[in-house]
Structures are given as C-alpha cells and as structure tokens.
Amino acid sequence: MAAHIWEASAGRIWVGWLETGDDLVAEIERVSAEHEVRAAWVSAIGAVKRASFAYYEQDEHRYLELGSDEHHEITGFVGNISIRDERPFLHAHATFGARNGETVGGHLLRGCEVFAAEITIREMTGVELVRTPDEVSGLALW
C-alpha cells in the first residue's frame, strides 16, 4: 500500500479570537466559508465551557459521542479544513484539561461552547482536499 500524499503551499493566514458562547467547530467552519477557504491547517488555544468530542469505533465504523459539561482548557488542538458536501469542513482532534490535571479528548464535534479561544487558519494552496467515502475505514477521507 502506498501513502496518498500531495504537495501544498502556504497561502493566506487568518488569526483571531472567538466570542464567549460560540460553537468552536461551527464558527471555524463559518469563518472558512466566509473567506472561501478550501484547504487549511487550523489551530486553537483557549478554554471551553463545554467540551464535545467523539471516539471512532474502528470495528463498527461509527463515532461514540462523548462530552463534558465541565470547564476545560484546550491543551491540544490539531485540525484541517477540507471540502465535504461542497462546504468547508473542519476535521480536528482536541485534548481538554480539567481542573485536577486530568485530560479528555478525541474527534472534535459541534457543541464545544467557547469560553475564550484564539484561532489560526493557515490556508493551503495548490491542492484540492475533497472528502469522499472510504469503504475500508468507513470514514470520509481526502
């Protein structure tokens, strides 16, 4: 089996912060759509009032939805923007730190309520990243 790799170049960069109460996923997707971003790296730092994430059950090809209503720091966040159903789609994984130092996390879902978040969206050019169904994994991949 061979890896599926494409060359991309850096394009425009957006930095900013989200309002308290924003949905972390929805707002990043909205900003990406507003600026017609079709491919990008995304990072975020800050805190959430509610975390919403999932774990992918590989054998069952389904997401187990998880979450926490506690306040958490965003201790890790890595993601990308690509196109799914003809719209910018955020695929991100996040780790959230609790007051006692424990962490939770996984595949980021809508429903993460922002307390404070600074985001960076780094556009990729020279590449078209469109998600299509992959029969082996059950996921929508590039």
Side-chain angles (χ1 to χ4, degrees):
M1 296 183 73
H4 303 272
I5 305 294
W6 303 273
E7 183 175 350
S9 299
R12 303 170 293 173
I13 299 173
W14 293 269
V15 296
W17 56 275
L18 305 182
E19 299 272 342
T20 300
D22 279 349
D23 183 295
L24 185 58
V25 173
E27 192 61 11
I28 290 171
E29 288 180 345
R30 186 197 66 73
V31 168
S32 297
E34 178 181 310
H35 294 284
E36 299 179 356
V37 176
R38 299 188 57 80
W41 299 278
V42 180
S43 60
I45 189 167
V48 296
K49 297 169 90 172
R50 180 185 193 300
S52 184
F53 51 93
Y55 175 83
Y56 190 69
E57 295 281 0
Q58 295 176 15
D59 293 334
E60 298 175 22
H61 289 188
R62 69 178 183 92
Y63 282 101
L64 173 62
E65 292 189 14
L66 305 166
S68 173
D69 288 327
E70 296 179 23
H71 297 176
H72 290 282
E73 295 285 325
I74 301 170
T75 57
F77 182 111
V78 61
N80 60 63
I81 293 290
S82 58
I83 299 300
R84 184 172 184 179
D85 300 325
E86 301 180 26
R87 296 177 36 84
F89 172 79
L90 173 66
H91 179 205
H93 288 200
T95 307
F96 301 98
R99 183 179 197 178
N100 63 3
E102 292 180 357
T103 58
V104 296
H107 176 85
L108 196 62
L109 298 174
R110 286 178 181 252
C112 285
E113 184 182 350
V114 169
F115 174 72
E118 298 168 341
I119 63 167
T120 303
I121 300 172
R122 296 174 183 92
E123 183 180 44
M124 290 183 247
T125 62
V127 66
E128 182 74 10
L129 302 177
V130 178
R131 294 192 175 275
T132 58
D134 174 64
E135 292 181 21
V136 175
S137 67
L139 297 166
L141 303 174
W142 300 332

